[in-house]
Amino acid sequence: GAGVSQSPSNKVTEKGKDVELRCDPISGHTALYWYRQSLGQGLEFLIYFQGNSAPDKSGLPSDRFSAERTGGSVSTLTIQRTQQEDSAVYLCASSLTAGGVGTDTQYFGPGTRLTVL
Amino acid sequence: LAKTTQPISMDSYEGQEVNITCSHNNIATNDYITWYQQFPSQGPRFIIQGYKTKVTNEVASLFIPADRKSSTLSLPRVSLSDTAVYYCLVGEEGNNRLAFGKGNQVVVIP
């Protein structure tokens, strides 16, 4: 079946511009996660959506970052006024349920590589 | 926050067994331990998950001592295609933030 998809796969932008990154989770998955991975680094948790509950935004690095999940499915991560330090791979994952944190297998997309010039 | 600590990197020869240990001293009662594998330019993928004692699947084994303050991922007879970064993940009770370790770069040498 179809896995998690992300678009675009690569994005190059100029400093100060806004960007939108899209994630299509696996159909039926109620939980959706965004992570950031800088070159040679581990995964940095950004935000988590569970069903229709209010998302946990506490991992977002600044107020320039925001995310939405419409209709409990597709999610968009928006970065306003991009800075060079925002350059990274942004990974999205989904899981079937998240009744117990850490107990559900997360299925990751291929990521969006963002380069801010 | 339940943090995890892993060695940064390790090399191994083809055919050997590789053991990677993760420390998670502040693991909560309801937390599970999950390991992921990440190849270059790809998102991580699930390997194995456990709560206590030993779990085995077709890919790996996971050993968790009684105090659950650490876990060891065991990869039997590694091949070159097992070269990847391996992450230890512990769920944080009462908090949806999920903490990946910094990962362990395993390089399999011919």
Side-chain angles (χ1 to χ4, degrees):
Chain A
V4 177
S5 61
Q6 294 186 244
S7 60
S9 56
N10 282 284
K11 176 70 176 179
V12 180
T13 189
E14 294 180 345
K15 178 181 174 181
K17 295 290 180 67
D18 298 350
V19 295
E20 283 189 354
L21 312 179
R22 177 187 170 103
C23 172
D24 283 89
I26 293 173
S27 177
H29 280 195
T30 61
L32 187 147
Y33 315 76
W34 282 99
Y35 296 86
R36 178 170 71 173
Q37 186 170 35
S38 300
L39 186 63
Q41 301 298 311
L43 278 71
E44 175 188 2
F45 169 82
L46 297 178
I47 189 170
Y48 161 78
F49 295 88
Q50 169 53 42
N52 296 319
S53 302
D56 179 349
K57 303 180 180 180
S58 55
L60 296 178
S62 78
D63 58 9
R64 296 186 295 105
F65 288 72
S66 62
E68 292 184 340
R69 188 179 186 194
T70 55
S73 181
V74 172
S75 177
T76 302
L77 178 69
T78 301
I79 309 173
Q80 296 178 311
R81 305 181 301 282
T82 53
Q83 303 295 314
Q84 289 182 332
E85 59 264 28
D86 299 334
S87 294
V89 175
Y90 289 80
L91 290 159
C92 174
S94 69
S95 65
L96 184 58
T97 61
V101 173
T103 61
D104 300 307
T105 299
Q106 295 183 37
Y107 297 85
F108 282 81
T112 294
R113 182 174 299 278
L114 174 66
T115 303
V116 181
L117 301 176
Chain B
L1 297 180
K3 296 182 180 178
T4 58
T5 305
Q6 302 175 241
I8 295 174
S9 65
M10 60 194 306
D11 296 343
S12 179
Y13 289 100
E14 272 191 298
Q16 288 188 330
E17 177 183 83
V18 171
N19 295 308
I20 309 168
T21 297
C22 177
S23 297
H24 26 80
N25 292 316
N26 298 323
I27 189 169
T29 302
N30 294 332
D31 285 343
Y32 278 66
I33 300 153
T34 311
W35 286 77
Y36 285 79
Q37 174 190 55
Q38 186 178 26
F39 298 114
S41 302
Q42 295 185 25
R45 69 171 188 173
F46 172 88
I47 301 177
I48 196 167
Q49 183 180 91
Y51 183 81
K52 62 180 179 181
T53 63
K54 177 183 176 182
V55 179
T56 298
N57 62 21
E58 65 278 6
V59 176
S61 294
L62 180 60
F63 298 92
I64 305 169
D67 66 7
R68 305 200 327 123
K69 293 184 182 299
S70 67
S71 58
T72 299
L73 176 73
S74 180
L75 306 173
R77 299 177 299 281
V78 293
S79 63
L80 296 178
S81 63
D82 292 317
T83 294
V85 177
Y86 291 82
Y87 292 96
C88 171
L89 170 63
V90 175
E92 300 179 34
E93 184 179 52
N95 190 331
N96 291 334
R97 295 184 64 171
L98 302 170
F100 275 78
K102 291 195 174 183
N104 181 305
Q105 172 69 63
V106 172
V107 177
V108 180
I109 305 167

